[in-house]
Amino acid sequence: MEQIENGKAITRRQSLKAAATFMILPAGLARGYAANDKLNIGVIGLTGMGGVDAKTFNGLGENIAAICDVDSTILDKRGAEYPGARKYTDFRKMIEKEKLDGVVVAVPDHNHAYISVFAMRHGLNVYCQKPLCKSVHEARIMARVAAETKVITQMGTQTSAEPRTLRTAELIQSGALGEITEIHMTTDRPIWPQGYDRPAGEDPVPANLNWDLWLGTAALQPFQAKWPQGHSVYSPGKARQFANEGTMFHPFVWRGWWNFGSGALGDIAPHAMNVIFLSLDLGAPSAVEVVDTSGMKKEMYPDWTIMRFDWAARGVHPKLSVYWYDGNLSLPESMRAPGAAAPATAPGAPVAPLRGGQGGMVWIGTKGSYPAGRGPFAGTGAEPLPPPPQREWGREEVHKDFATAVKAGKQAPCHFGYAGPFTEAYQLGNVALRVGHRIEWDPLEFRVTNCQEANQYLSREYRRGWDLKEIAGTAWDVGARR
């Protein structure tokens, strides 16, 4: 299909006028769908998970009607895979010109909120890749805009419908472990360079990349293609971070940069926190503590971190602490399976993360642990717990569940009203990292109560022409005093 848009920037006034005047008419509610009707889907961001999303929706029989990417090389590659899709460089033109039922947002984290809100204000259903957004404030806004517009939404986390997630939730909710008091989880992330200072210098922007649109909401900064030769990022000990490729920003390795990504938490916590929130019906944490870390850099997340998320007692439920270990750290010895690898000799040393329970997760309850024989129950035997009766969750697969919800006019399982609050929770972890110590959280007042400095990191500054406030409308003001 011929490319019908050449990437020329539309004006801020044109963008805001379109967002303000487009009639909010949720696609799934505004029309009826026959069982064999195809959804017309526009995919924004085609590298990595965006390519997976397009392939999956296409495999489900939906129509990839339009595709958008700021990199013409990947755009042309996907165009060859979906020859019937019209190609765009600017998502705003795609949304305004195409008659779509929904969009997929699979760009770097820093542009998730703006694109999703822009689409929702245009009445489009939105499937947004995890993490839902870049900041605590954006998570609150996205949930509110979704509620206002009544569109169908879904955050793209496979744990939304994975059988092992649902079986874990059934086990926890059965009461077999008693009341849950601790959860420990570990990950090998980051698998991209992280924990460095940005070197000086600037490289020519490749002809295939629209750097201005890639930056989007972020402040202008020079393009840099590769880390300098001889930089420690190339050392053998950093092999797990894909450092030998040397790429600094695009593609994929933007995750480690504060201005663009959400670090290890943003990559894995959307999966893991989803399991926890689904199982325990949690609200906001009361505090987040940085237990230990290699340390934030001015522009990058740490190489490794240990932190704790605390929930106060909730009615009959006792206090809960959720421990997070990243950088390929091992869990404490008592939390590992008998005979598992010893702890790292130094923080960040390569140790295979625990793969027991739910993807590296150990649950500690008042009656037992899952997997069995961990923590205070070590030495009591490691026989598997009998599985509780399975529930009918009405979930099959995260993409299919979204398509089904749009056609039925019913909300998807991991909708923004659900995903927003637990996104706030793990993004508070990044706020704690930024200040380097414990923060105490008041979700109703929407502020950190023990550290005024931390409050500035709850939200972001936006580049001129990309101000989320201008399209968020009444959803912008959060907290009890809105």
Coordinates of all heavy atoms in Angstrom, one line a residue, residues 168-250:
T168 N -2.2 -19.4 40.2 CA -1.6 -18.8 41.4 C -2.6 -18.0 42.2 O -2.7 -18.1 43.4 CB -0.4 -17.9 41.0 OG1 0.6 -18.7 40.4 CG2 0.2 -17.2 42.2
A169 N -3.4 -17.2 41.5 CA -4.5 -16.4 42.1 C -5.5 -17.3 42.8 O -5.9 -17.0 44.0 CB -5.2 -15.6 41.1
E170 N -5.8 -18.4 42.2 CA -6.8 -19.4 42.8 C -6.2 -20.0 44.1 O -6.9 -20.1 45.1 CB -7.1 -20.5 41.9 CG -8.0 -20.0 40.7 CD -8.0 -21.0 39.5 OE1 -7.3 -22.0 39.6 OE2 -8.8 -20.7 38.6
L171 N -4.9 -20.3 44.1 CA -4.2 -20.9 45.2 C -4.2 -19.9 46.4 O -4.5 -20.2 47.5 CB -2.8 -21.3 44.9 CG -2.0 -21.8 46.0 CD1 -2.5 -23.1 46.6 CD2 -0.5 -22.0 45.6
I172 N -3.8 -18.7 46.1 CA -3.7 -17.6 47.1 C -5.0 -17.3 47.7 O -5.2 -17.2 49.0 CB -3.0 -16.4 46.6 CG1 -1.6 -16.6 46.0 CG2 -3.0 -15.3 47.6 CD1 -0.7 -17.3 47.0
Q173 N -6.0 -17.2 46.9 CA -7.4 -16.8 47.3 C -8.1 -18.0 48.0 O -9.0 -17.8 48.8 CB -8.2 -16.3 46.2 CG -7.7 -15.0 45.6 CD -8.4 -14.6 44.3 OE1 -9.3 -15.3 43.8 NE2 -8.0 -13.5 43.8
S174 N -7.6 -19.2 47.9 CA -8.2 -20.4 48.6 C -7.9 -20.4 50.0 O -8.5 -21.1 50.8 CB -7.6 -21.7 47.9 OG -6.3 -21.9 48.3
G175 N -6.9 -19.6 50.5 CA -6.5 -19.6 51.9 C -5.5 -20.7 52.3 O -5.2 -20.8 53.5
A176 N -5.0 -21.4 51.3 CA -4.1 -22.5 51.6 C -2.9 -22.1 52.3 O -2.3 -22.8 53.1 CB -3.8 -23.3 50.4
L177 N -2.4 -20.9 52.0 CA -1.2 -20.3 52.7 C -1.5 -19.4 53.9 O -0.6 -18.9 54.5 CB -0.4 -19.5 51.6 CG 0.1 -20.2 50.4 CD1 0.9 -19.2 49.5 CD2 0.8 -21.5 50.7
G178 N -2.8 -19.3 54.2 CA -3.2 -18.3 55.2 C -3.1 -16.9 54.7 O -3.3 -16.7 53.5
E179 N -2.8 -16.0 55.5 CA -2.7 -14.6 55.1 C -1.3 -14.3 54.6 O -0.3 -14.7 55.2 CB -3.0 -13.6 56.3 CG -4.4 -13.6 56.8 CD -5.4 -13.0 55.8 OE1 -4.9 -12.3 54.9 OE2 -6.6 -13.1 56.0
I180 N -1.2 -13.7 53.4 CA 0.1 -13.4 52.8 C 0.8 -12.3 53.5 O 0.2 -11.2 53.7 CB 0.0 -13.2 51.3 CG1 -0.7 -14.3 50.6 CG2 1.3 -12.9 50.7 CD1 0.0 -15.7 50.8
T181 N 2.0 -12.4 54.0 CA 2.7 -11.4 54.7 C 4.0 -10.9 54.0 O 4.4 -9.8 54.2 CB 3.1 -11.9 56.1 OG1 4.0 -13.1 55.9 CG2 1.9 -12.2 57.0
E182 N 4.5 -11.8 53.1 CA 5.7 -11.4 52.3 C 5.6 -12.0 50.9 O 5.1 -13.1 50.8 CB 7.0 -11.9 53.0 CG 7.4 -11.1 54.2 CD 8.8 -11.6 54.7 OE1 9.6 -12.2 53.9 OE2 9.1 -11.5 55.9
I183 N 6.2 -11.3 50.0 CA 6.4 -11.8 48.6 C 7.8 -11.4 48.2 O 8.2 -10.2 48.4 CB 5.4 -11.3 47.6 CG1 3.9 -11.7 48.1 CG2 5.6 -11.8 46.2 CD1 2.8 -11.0 47.3
H184 N 8.6 -12.3 47.6 CA 9.9 -12.0 47.1 C 10.0 -12.4 45.7 O 9.5 -13.5 45.3 CB 11.0 -12.8 47.9 CG 11.1 -12.5 49.4 ND1 12.1 -11.8 49.9 CD2 10.2 -12.7 50.4 CE1 12.0 -11.6 51.2 NE2 10.8 -12.2 51.5
M185 N 10.5 -11.5 44.9 CA 10.6 -11.8 43.4 C 11.9 -11.2 42.9 O 12.4 -10.2 43.3 CB 9.4 -11.2 42.7 CG 9.1 -9.8 42.9 SD 7.6 -9.3 42.0 CE 7.3 -7.6 42.7
T186 N 12.4 -12.0 41.9 CA 13.7 -11.6 41.3 C 13.7 -11.7 39.8 O 12.8 -12.4 39.3 CB 14.8 -12.6 41.8 OG1 16.1 -12.2 41.3 CG2 14.6 -14.0 41.4
T187 N 14.5 -10.9 39.2 CA 14.6 -10.9 37.7 C 16.0 -10.7 37.2 O 16.8 -10.1 37.9 CB 13.6 -9.8 37.2 OG1 13.8 -9.7 35.7 CG2 14.0 -8.4 37.7
D188 N 16.2 -11.2 36.0 CA 17.5 -11.0 35.4 C 17.6 -9.6 34.7 O 18.7 -9.2 34.2 CB 17.9 -12.1 34.4 CG 16.8 -12.2 33.3 OD1 15.8 -11.5 33.4 OD2 17.1 -12.9 32.3
R189 N 16.5 -8.8 34.7 CA 16.6 -7.5 34.1 C 17.4 -6.6 35.0 O 17.4 -6.8 36.2 CB 15.2 -6.9 33.9 CG 14.5 -7.2 32.6 CD 14.5 -8.6 32.2 NE 13.6 -8.8 31.0 CZ 13.4 -9.9 30.5 NH1 13.9 -11.0 31.0 NH2 12.6 -10.0 29.4
P190 N 18.1 -5.6 34.4 CA 18.1 -5.2 33.0 C 18.9 -6.1 32.1 O 20.0 -6.5 32.5 CB 18.7 -3.8 33.1 CG 19.6 -3.8 34.2 CD 19.0 -4.7 35.2
I191 N 18.4 -6.4 30.9 CA 19.2 -7.0 29.9 C 19.5 -6.0 28.8 O 19.5 -6.4 27.6 CB 18.4 -8.3 29.3 CG1 17.0 -7.9 28.8 CG2 18.4 -9.4 30.4 CD1 16.3 -9.0 28.1
W192 N 19.8 -4.8 29.2 CA 20.2 -3.7 28.3 C 21.1 -2.9 29.2 O 21.2 -3.0 30.4 CB 19.0 -2.9 27.9 CG 18.1 -2.5 29.1 CD1 18.3 -1.4 29.9 CD2 17.0 -3.2 29.6 NE1 17.3 -1.4 30.9 CE2 16.5 -2.5 30.7 CE3 16.3 -4.3 29.2 CZ2 15.4 -2.9 31.5 CZ3 15.2 -4.7 29.9 CH2 14.8 -4.0 31.0
P193 N 22.0 -2.0 28.6 CA 22.9 -1.2 29.4 C 22.2 -0.3 30.4 O 21.2 0.3 30.0 CB 23.7 -0.4 28.3 CG 23.6 -1.3 27.1 CD 22.2 -1.9 27.2
Q194 N 22.7 -0.3 31.6 CA 22.1 0.5 32.6 C 23.1 0.8 33.7 O 24.0 0.0 33.9 CB 20.9 -0.2 33.2 CG 19.8 0.7 33.8 CD 18.5 -0.1 34.1 OE1 17.7 -0.4 33.2 NE2 18.3 -0.5 35.3
G195 N 23.0 1.9 34.4 CA 23.9 2.2 35.4 C 25.2 3.0 35.0 O 26.2 2.9 35.7
Y196 N 25.1 3.8 33.9 CA 26.2 4.6 33.4 C 25.8 6.0 33.3 O 24.7 6.4 33.3 CB 26.6 4.1 32.0 CG 27.0 2.6 32.0 CD1 26.1 1.6 31.5 CD2 28.3 2.2 32.4 CE1 26.5 0.3 31.5 CE2 28.6 0.8 32.4 CZ 27.7 -0.1 31.9 OH 28.1 -1.4 31.9
D197 N 26.9 6.9 33.2 CA 26.7 8.2 32.8 C 26.7 8.3 31.3 O 27.4 7.6 30.6 CB 27.8 9.1 33.4 CG 27.7 9.2 34.9 OD1 26.6 9.5 35.4 OD2 28.7 9.1 35.6
R198 N 25.9 9.2 30.7 CA 25.9 9.4 29.3 C 27.1 10.1 28.8 O 27.5 11.2 29.3 CB 24.6 10.2 28.8 CG 24.6 10.4 27.3 CD 23.2 10.8 26.9 NE 22.7 12.0 27.5 CZ 22.7 13.2 26.9 NH1 23.3 13.4 25.7 NH2 22.2 14.3 27.5
P199 N 27.8 9.5 27.8 CA 29.1 10.1 27.3 C 28.7 11.3 26.5 O 27.6 11.5 26.0 CB 29.7 9.0 26.5 CG 28.6 8.2 26.1 CD 27.6 8.2 27.2
A200 N 29.7 12.2 26.4 CA 29.5 13.4 25.6 C 29.5 13.0 24.1 O 30.0 11.9 23.7 CB 30.6 14.4 25.9
G201 N 29.0 13.9 23.3 CA 29.1 13.7 21.9 C 27.7 13.7 21.2 O 26.7 13.7 21.9
E202 N 27.7 13.7 19.9 CA 26.5 13.7 19.1 C 26.8 13.0 17.8 O 27.9 13.2 17.2 CB 26.0 15.1 18.9 CG 24.7 15.2 18.1 CD 24.2 16.6 18.0 OE1 24.9 17.5 18.6 OE2 23.1 16.8 17.4
D203 N 25.8 12.2 17.3 CA 26.0 11.5 16.0 C 24.9 12.0 15.0 O 23.8 12.5 15.5 CB 25.9 10.0 16.1 CG 27.0 9.4 17.0 OD1 28.1 9.8 16.8 OD2 26.7 8.6 17.9
P204 N 25.2 12.0 13.7 CA 24.1 12.3 12.8 C 22.9 11.4 12.9 O 23.1 10.2 13.2 CB 24.8 12.1 11.4 CG 26.3 12.1 11.7 CD 26.4 11.6 13.1
V205 N 21.8 12.0 12.8 CA 20.5 11.1 12.9 C 20.4 10.3 11.6 O 20.5 10.9 10.5 CB 19.3 12.0 13.1 CG1 18.0 11.2 13.1 CG2 19.4 12.8 14.4
P206 N 20.2 9.0 11.7 CA 20.1 8.2 10.5 C 18.9 8.7 9.6 O 17.9 9.2 10.1 CB 19.9 6.8 11.0 CG 20.4 6.8 12.4 CD 20.1 8.2 12.9
A207 N 19.1 8.6 8.3 CA 18.0 9.1 7.4 C 16.7 8.3 7.6 O 15.7 8.9 7.3 CB 18.5 8.9 5.9
N208 N 16.8 7.1 8.1 CA 15.6 6.3 8.3 C 14.8 6.7 9.6 O 13.7 6.2 9.8 CB 15.9 4.8 8.3 CG 16.9 4.5 9.4 OD1 18.0 4.9 9.4 ND2 16.4 3.7 10.4
L209 N 15.4 7.5 10.5 CA 14.8 7.8 11.8 C 14.3 9.2 11.9 O 15.1 10.1 11.7 CB 15.8 7.4 12.9 CG 15.4 7.7 14.3 CD1 14.2 6.8 14.7 CD2 16.5 7.5 15.3
N210 N 13.1 9.4 12.3 CA 12.6 10.7 12.6 C 12.8 10.9 14.1 O 12.0 10.5 15.0 CB 11.1 10.9 12.3 CG 10.6 12.3 12.4 OD1 10.9 13.0 13.4 ND2 9.7 12.7 11.5
W211 N 14.0 11.5 14.5 CA 14.4 11.6 15.9 C 13.4 12.6 16.6 O 13.1 12.3 17.8 CB 15.8 12.2 15.9 CG 16.4 12.3 17.3 CD1 16.9 13.5 17.8 CD2 16.6 11.3 18.3 NE1 17.4 13.3 19.1 CE2 17.2 11.9 19.4 CE3 16.3 10.0 18.4 CZ2 17.5 11.3 20.6 CZ3 16.6 9.3 19.5 CH2 17.2 9.9 20.6
D212 N 12.9 13.6 16.0 CA 12.0 14.5 16.7 C 10.7 13.8 17.1 O 10.3 14.0 18.3 CB 11.6 15.7 15.7 CG 10.7 16.7 16.4 OD1 11.2 17.4 17.3 OD2 9.5 16.7 16.0
L213 N 10.1 12.9 16.3 CA 8.9 12.2 16.6 C 9.3 11.1 17.6 O 8.5 10.7 18.5 CB 8.3 11.6 15.4 CG 7.5 12.6 14.5 CD1 7.0 11.9 13.3 CD2 6.4 13.3 15.3
W214 N 10.5 10.5 17.5 CA 10.9 9.5 18.5 C 10.9 10.1 19.9 O 10.5 9.5 20.8 CB 12.3 8.9 18.1 CG 12.6 7.7 18.9 CD1 12.5 6.4 18.5 CD2 13.3 7.7 20.2 NE1 13.0 5.6 19.5 CE2 13.5 6.3 20.5 CE3 13.7 8.6 21.1 CZ2 14.1 5.9 21.7 CZ3 14.3 8.2 22.3 CH2 14.5 6.9 22.6
L215 N 11.5 11.3 20.0 CA 11.6 12.0 21.3 C 10.2 12.4 21.8 O 9.9 12.2 23.0 CB 12.4 13.3 21.2 CG 13.9 13.1 21.0 CD1 14.6 14.5 20.7 CD2 14.5 12.5 22.3
G216 N 9.3 12.8 20.9 CA 7.9 13.1 21.3 C 7.8 14.0 22.5 O 8.2 15.2 22.4
T217 N 7.3 13.5 23.6 CA 7.1 14.3 24.8 C 8.4 14.6 25.5 O 8.4 15.5 26.3 CB 6.2 13.5 25.8 OG1 6.9 12.2 26.1 CG2 4.8 13.2 25.2
A218 N 9.5 13.9 25.2 CA 10.7 14.2 26.0 C 11.4 15.4 25.5 O 11.3 15.9 24.4 CB 11.6 13.0 25.8
A219 N 12.3 16.0 26.4 CA 13.1 17.2 26.0 C 14.0 16.8 24.9 O 14.5 15.7 24.7 CB 13.8 17.7 27.2
L220 N 14.3 17.8 24.1 CA 15.3 17.7 23.0 C 16.6 17.3 23.5 O 17.1 17.9 24.5 CB 15.4 18.9 22.2 CG 14.2 19.3 21.3 CD1 14.4 20.7 20.7 CD2 13.9 18.3 20.2
Q221 N 17.3 16.3 22.9 CA 18.7 16.0 23.3 C 19.3 15.4 22.0 O 18.7 14.9 21.1 CB 18.7 15.0 24.4 CG 18.3 13.6 24.1 CD 18.5 12.7 25.4 OE1 18.0 12.9 26.4 NE2 19.4 11.7 25.2
P222 N 20.7 15.4 22.0 CA 21.4 14.9 20.8 C 21.1 13.4 20.6 O 21.0 12.7 21.6 CB 22.8 15.2 21.1 CG 22.8 16.2 22.2 CD 21.6 16.0 23.0
F223 N 21.1 13.0 19.3 CA 21.1 11.6 19.0 C 22.5 11.1 19.1 O 23.5 11.7 18.7 CB 20.6 11.4 17.6 CG 20.7 10.0 17.1 CD1 19.7 9.1 17.5 CD2 21.7 9.5 16.3 CE1 19.8 7.8 17.1 CE2 21.8 8.2 15.9 CZ 20.8 7.3 16.3
Q224 N 22.6 9.9 19.7 CA 23.8 9.2 19.8 C 23.6 7.7 19.4 O 22.7 7.1 20.0 CB 24.4 9.2 21.2 CG 24.9 10.6 21.6 CD 25.2 10.8 23.1 OE1 24.3 11.0 23.9 NE2 26.5 10.7 23.5
A225 N 24.3 7.2 18.5 CA 24.1 5.9 17.9 C 24.7 4.8 18.8 O 24.0 3.8 19.0 CB 24.7 5.8 16.5
K226 N 25.9 4.9 19.2 CA 26.6 3.8 19.9 C 27.4 4.4 21.1 O 27.8 5.5 21.1 CB 27.6 3.1 18.9 CG 27.0 2.5 17.7 CD 26.4 1.2 17.9 CE 25.9 0.5 16.7 NZ 25.4 -0.8 16.9
W227 N 27.6 3.5 22.1 CA 28.5 3.8 23.1 C 29.9 3.9 22.5 O 30.3 3.1 21.6 CB 28.5 2.8 24.2 CG 27.2 2.7 25.0 CD1 26.1 2.0 24.7 CD2 26.9 3.4 26.2 NE1 25.1 2.3 25.6 CE2 25.6 3.1 26.5 CE3 27.6 4.3 27.0 CZ2 24.9 3.7 27.7 CZ3 27.0 4.8 28.1 CH2 25.7 4.5 28.5
P228 N 30.8 4.8 23.1 CA 32.1 4.9 22.5 C 32.9 3.6 22.7 O 32.7 2.8 23.6 CB 32.8 6.0 23.4 CG 31.6 6.7 24.0 CD 30.5 5.7 24.2
Q229 N 33.8 3.3 21.7 CA 34.6 2.1 21.8 C 35.5 2.2 23.0 O 36.0 3.3 23.4 CB 35.5 2.0 20.5 CG 34.7 1.6 19.3 CD 34.0 0.2 19.4 OE1 34.6 -0.7 20.0 NE2 32.7 0.2 19.0
G230 N 35.7 1.1 23.7 CA 36.5 1.0 24.9 C 35.7 1.3 26.2 O 36.2 1.2 27.3
H231 N 34.4 1.7 26.0 CA 33.6 2.0 27.2 C 33.3 0.7 28.0 O 33.3 -0.4 27.4 CB 32.3 2.6 26.8 CG 31.5 3.2 27.9 ND1 30.7 2.4 28.7 CD2 31.3 4.5 28.3 CE1 30.1 3.2 29.6 NE2 30.4 4.5 29.4
S232 N 33.2 0.8 29.3 CA 33.0 -0.4 30.1 C 31.7 -1.1 29.8 O 31.5 -2.3 30.2 CB 33.0 0.0 31.6 OG 32.0 0.9 31.9
V233 N 30.8 -0.5 29.1 CA 29.6 -1.2 28.7 C 29.9 -2.4 27.8 O 29.0 -3.3 27.8 CB 28.7 -0.2 27.9 CG1 29.2 0.0 26.5 CG2 27.2 -0.7 27.9
Y234 N 31.0 -2.5 27.2 CA 31.4 -3.6 26.4 C 32.1 -4.7 27.1 O 32.5 -5.7 26.6 CB 32.3 -3.1 25.2 CG 31.6 -2.2 24.3 CD1 31.9 -0.8 24.3 CD2 30.8 -2.7 23.3 CE1 31.3 0.0 23.4 CE2 30.2 -1.8 22.4 CZ 30.4 -0.5 22.4 OH 29.8 0.4 21.6
S235 N 32.3 -4.6 28.4 CA 33.1 -5.5 29.2 C 32.4 -6.9 29.2 O 31.1 -7.0 29.2 CB 33.3 -5.0 30.6 OG 32.1 -5.0 31.3
P236 N 33.1 -8.0 29.3 CA 32.5 -9.3 29.3 C 31.5 -9.5 30.4 O 30.5 -10.3 30.3 CB 33.7 -10.3 29.5 CG 34.9 -9.5 28.9 CD 34.6 -8.0 29.3
G237 N 31.7 -8.9 31.6 CA 30.8 -9.0 32.7 C 29.4 -8.4 32.4 O 28.5 -8.7 33.2
K238 N 29.3 -7.7 31.4 CA 28.0 -7.0 31.1 C 27.4 -7.7 29.9 O 26.5 -7.2 29.3 CB 28.3 -5.6 30.7 CG 28.8 -4.7 31.9 CD 27.8 -4.7 33.0 CE 28.3 -3.8 34.1 NZ 27.4 -3.8 35.3
A239 N 27.8 -9.0 29.6 CA 27.2 -9.7 28.5 C 25.7 -9.8 28.5 O 25.0 -9.8 27.5 CB 27.9 -11.0 28.3
R240 N 25.2 -9.9 29.7 CA 23.7 -10.1 29.8 C 23.0 -8.9 29.4 O 21.7 -8.9 29.2 CB 23.3 -10.5 31.2 CG 23.5 -9.4 32.3 CD 22.9 -9.8 33.6 NE 23.3 -8.8 34.6 CZ 22.6 -7.7 34.9 NH1 21.5 -7.4 34.2 NH2 23.0 -6.9 35.8
Q241 N 23.6 -7.7 29.3 CA 23.0 -6.5 29.0 C 23.0 -6.1 27.5 O 22.8 -5.0 27.1 CB 23.6 -5.3 29.8 CG 23.3 -5.4 31.3 CD 23.8 -4.2 32.0 OE1 24.4 -3.3 31.5 NE2 23.5 -4.1 33.3
F242 N 23.3 -7.1 26.6 CA 23.3 -6.9 25.2 C 24.3 -5.7 24.9 O 24.2 -5.1 23.9 CB 21.9 -6.5 24.6 CG 20.9 -7.6 24.7 CD1 19.6 -7.3 24.7 CD2 21.3 -8.9 24.8 CE1 18.6 -8.4 24.8 CE2 20.4 -10.0 24.9 CZ 19.1 -9.7 24.9
A243 N 25.3 -5.5 25.7 CA 26.1 -4.4 25.6 C 27.1 -4.5 24.4 O 27.5 -3.5 23.9 CB 27.0 -4.2 26.8
N244 N 27.3 -5.7 23.9 CA 28.2 -5.8 22.8 C 27.7 -5.2 21.5 O 28.4 -4.9 20.6 CB 28.6 -7.3 22.6 CG 27.4 -8.2 22.3 OD1 26.3 -7.7 22.5 ND2 27.6 -9.4 21.9
E245 N 26.4 -5.0 21.5 CA 25.8 -4.3 20.3 C 26.1 -2.8 20.3 O 26.1 -2.2 19.3 CB 24.3 -4.6 20.2 CG 24.0 -6.1 20.0 CD 22.5 -6.3 19.9 OE1 21.7 -5.3 19.8 OE2 22.1 -7.5 19.9
G246 N 26.2 -2.3 21.5 CA 26.7 -0.9 21.7 C 25.6 0.2 21.4 O 25.9 1.4 21.5
T247 N 24.4 -0.2 21.1 CA 23.3 0.8 20.8 C 23.0 1.6 22.1 O 22.9 1.1 23.1 CB 22.1 0.1 20.3 OG1 22.4 -0.7 19.1 CG2 21.0 1.1 19.9
M248 N 22.8 2.9 21.9 CA 22.5 3.8 23.0 C 21.0 4.0 23.3 O 20.6 4.0 24.4 CB 23.2 5.1 22.9 CG 24.7 5.0 23.2 SD 25.5 6.7 23.4 CE 24.7 7.2 24.9
F249 N 20.2 4.2 22.2 CA 18.8 4.6 22.4 C 17.9 3.7 21.6 O 17.0 3.1 22.2 CB 18.6 6.0 22.1 CG 19.4 7.0 22.9 CD1 20.2 7.9 22.2 CD2 19.3 7.1 24.2 CE1 20.9 8.9 23.0 CE2 20.0 8.0 25.0 CZ 20.8 8.9 24.3
H250 N 18.1 3.7 20.3 CA 17.1 3.1 19.4 C 17.8 2.0 18.6 O 18.8 2.2 18.0 CB 16.5 4.1 18.5 CG 15.7 3.6 17.4 ND1 14.4 3.1 17.6 CD2 15.9 3.4 16.1 CE1 13.9 2.6 16.4 NE2 14.8 2.8 15.5

